Amino acid sequence: MSSRDHLYSRLVALLRLGKRSGWLSLLVWLAMVAPALAELELRVAVEQDASQVRVGSSTPAVLRDPAGQVLGELPANSAIELSEEAGRITVGDWQAGAVWVEPDQDGLVYIGDNWYRGRVLVVRTGSGLTAVNYVDLEQYLYSVVGGEMPTNWNLEALKSQAVAARSYVLYQRQSNANTVFDVGDTTRWQVYEGIKEEAPSTRAAVDQTRGQVLTYNGQIIEAVFHSSSGGRTENVEDVWSSPLPYLRSVQDYDQIAPVYQWSETIPADRLRQLVTGVGNIISMVPEETTPNGRIVSMRVVGDAGTRTISGNDLRSALNLRSTLFSVVPQMGNVASANGAVSLPHSFQIVGRGFGHGLGMSQWGALGLAQQGYNYQQILTHYYTGAVLSVIRVE
């Protein structure tokens, strides 16, 4: 029997945690998901397409080529620069197509300017070298939870983040992994900066939810999350494209967030530089919004023309926290060849929330935790119809 068949045969479905209850019942788990949660070594791209990569180890480490041949050794607390030469990776006097750095005695690896658990593989990619951290899924989450949520927050909120992050990374691994890595380390994926983001609280949150993921109809969900929705989350199809049954609009509990309400004042001259082609901007009027008021498209009216800009593009250009905002012109007299005319001298932007407003609100999770809700209740509130599922290999 193969190890994969053996794993399948020993799979035990454990639990389904109902909304707002602690009752346990059996959940049949898809066999294709089982290996993902059993001692999974995740491949995380830390450096991508770099001209040089600096790697090291906290303990003595071995350098190997892809065939397992030893290229050299690294003393403890030392590092080396790897570079590309004639299509090969140069390691001192050796050259190889790829290089493993494998610490001894559970040591840490150094990549770029951070320390990481696990080991590292440096490979040639299209525009340079890519360093991939091979790390246990649960240990990866020790860092991610701390990178995505303040480590001094209520433990139930941190546990909610751990389950959402575990679900999200496994969904991304299933959907977007390539031959070199499963996920990256930026906000495009999840923030991952190694052990500096870990804390006793993040390790506790991960350990106490070990192996737990959110599923819908037996499939891991795309458990997206954001900082604060500004009072209510969104239906996914109103913000992105296709509807999903578990990303529905629900009441948020993020009133404690410092970004629940915010405002920015932008001088008219600066706005004219950022939004070109209409001359002096006179007004900005929502053309299409979501049911909750997020800007889908904005009509910008100027004295030399009109143009329509998407809410996301406008948010990016103005560096706003969300697309849930309104624009109020601040009028004044401006000198012109025909005398003084009334034009806005600035624009006040009043908004709410931070992020896309889909899935779990992190500040809302904290708000619910402070009211006594546990992480199961928090997650099933924000992910409509999803259930908490876990597997165990015995």
Side-chain angles (χ1 to χ4, degrees):
M1 179 182 291
S2 70
S3 60
R4 179 178 291 265
D5 291 338
H6 182 68
L7 180 60
Y8 291 159
S9 69
R10 296 175 66 86
L11 176 63
V12 177
L14 284 183
L15 59 88
R16 174 178 178 172
L17 299 178
K19 186 179 293 186
R20 301 184 181 277
S21 77
W23 293 99
L24 302 183
S25 60
L26 289 179
L27 173 68
V28 177
W29 184 255
L30 296 180
M32 63 177 290
V33 178
L37 293 176
E39 303 300 327
L40 169 69
E41 195 174 38
L42 197 65
R43 303 175 303 161
V44 187
V46 174
E47 296 274 358
Q48 291 189 58
D49 298 326
S51 58
Q52 290 183 321
V53 173
R54 186 171 178 81
V55 293
S57 174
S58 64
T59 60
V62 175
L63 306 180
R64 301 182 188 274
D65 68 12
Q69 180 179 350
V70 175
L71 300 174
E73 296 183 353
L74 273 179
N77 295 311
S78 63
I80 57 172
E81 291 278 356
L82 304 183
S83 58
E84 185 182 15
E85 183 177 325
R88 304 280 285 174
I89 298 176
T90 301
V91 188
D93 296 331
W94 293 279
Q95 287 189 332
V99 176
W100 282 101
V101 180
E102 299 178 337
D104 189 19
Q105 301 171 356
D106 295 323
L108 302 173
V109 289
Y110 187 76
I111 309 171
D113 54 5
N114 287 320
W115 288 99
Y116 298 85
R117 296 174 182 267
R119 53 189 182 140
V120 61
L121 173 67
V122 181
V123 298
R124 291 179 55 249
T125 47
S127 303
L129 302 180
T130 293
V132 182
N133 180 205
Y134 281 61
V135 59
D136 175 80
L137 169 64
E138 302 298 312
Q139 294 180 347
Y140 160 83
L141 292 170
Y142 290 164
S143 173
V144 167
V145 172
E148 293 286 358
M149 185 174 277
T151 59
N152 63 350
W153 276 15
N154 186 292
L155 182 60
E156 294 303 307
L158 292 171
K159 287 156 73 173
S160 300
Q161 182 66 66
V163 175
R166 186 183 291 109
S167 305
Y168 183 80
V169 74
L170 290 176
Y171 180 93
Q172 293 297 323
R173 179 177 181 267
Q174 290 175 351
S175 305
N176 298 308
N178 57 48
T179 57
V180 177
F181 58 86
D182 298 319
V183 295
D185 65 343
T186 65
T187 53
R188 154 71 177 83
W189 308 88
Q190 293 184 123
V191 176
Y192 175 61
E193 296 184 336
I195 64 168
K196 74 177 185 179
E197 298 292 349
E198 291 185 19
S201 60
T202 69
R203 291 190 286 272
V206 172
D207 291 344
Q208 291 178 30
T209 63
R210 183 176 181 85
Q212 294 183 26
V213 293
L214 288 156
T215 63
Y216 189 92
N217 286 342
Q219 300 287 339
I220 294 176
I221 72 169
E222 186 177 9
V224 294
F225 49 87
H226 61 283
S227 177
S228 161
S229 75
R232 190 169 186 87
T233 68
E234 296 281 352
N235 293 320
V236 64
E237 67 271 20
D238 294 328
V239 176
W240 291 345
S241 54
S242 302
L244 290 169
Y246 51 82
L247 293 180
R248 315 313 300 158
S249 177
V250 298
Q251 181 181 351
D252 201 359
Y253 296 85
D254 60 336
Q255 292 78 8
I256 61 175
V259 291
Y260 180 74
Q261 292 183 317
W262 48 267
S263 65
E264 303 278 352
T265 299
I266 301 179
D269 288 346
R270 177 169 173 254
L271 188 60
R272 186 171 60 245
Q273 293 172 356
L274 295 172
V275 182
T276 60
V278 298
N280 294 306
I281 297 173
I282 299 171
S283 65
M284 301 177 71
V285 182
E287 196 169 72
E288 182 184 356
T289 65
T290 70
N292 293 325
R294 291 177 186 270
I295 303 297
V296 177
S297 61
M298 181 79 82
R299 181 160 49 91
V300 182
V301 179
D303 60 7
T306 300
R307 61 179 293 196
T308 297
I309 302 176
S310 78
N312 285 331
D313 288 346
L314 195 57
R315 177 192 175 190
S316 177
L318 303 182
N319 195 28
L320 302 177
R321 294 175 177 86
S322 74
T323 58
L324 184 59
F325 64 86
S326 59
V327 183
V328 181
Q330 308 296 301
M331 304 303 292
N333 292 325
V334 179
S336 72
N338 298 321
V341 296
S342 182
L343 286 173
H345 59 78
S346 63
F347 293 82
Q348 184 182 30
I349 301 178
V350 180
R352 298 203 312 272
F354 193 169
H356 48 56
L358 300 175
M360 186 182 74
S361 158
Q362 293 167 315
W363 279 99
L366 177 62
L368 284 171
Q370 290 179 344
Q371 293 179 44
Y373 288 79
N374 61 35
Y375 76 98
Q376 298 99 325
Q377 294 167 325
I378 294 169
L379 289 167
T380 52
H381 170 71
Y382 285 107
Y383 301 102
T384 306
V387 295
L388 272 168
S389 307
V390 65
I391 61 169
R392 179 177 66 202
V393 178
E394 292 186 335

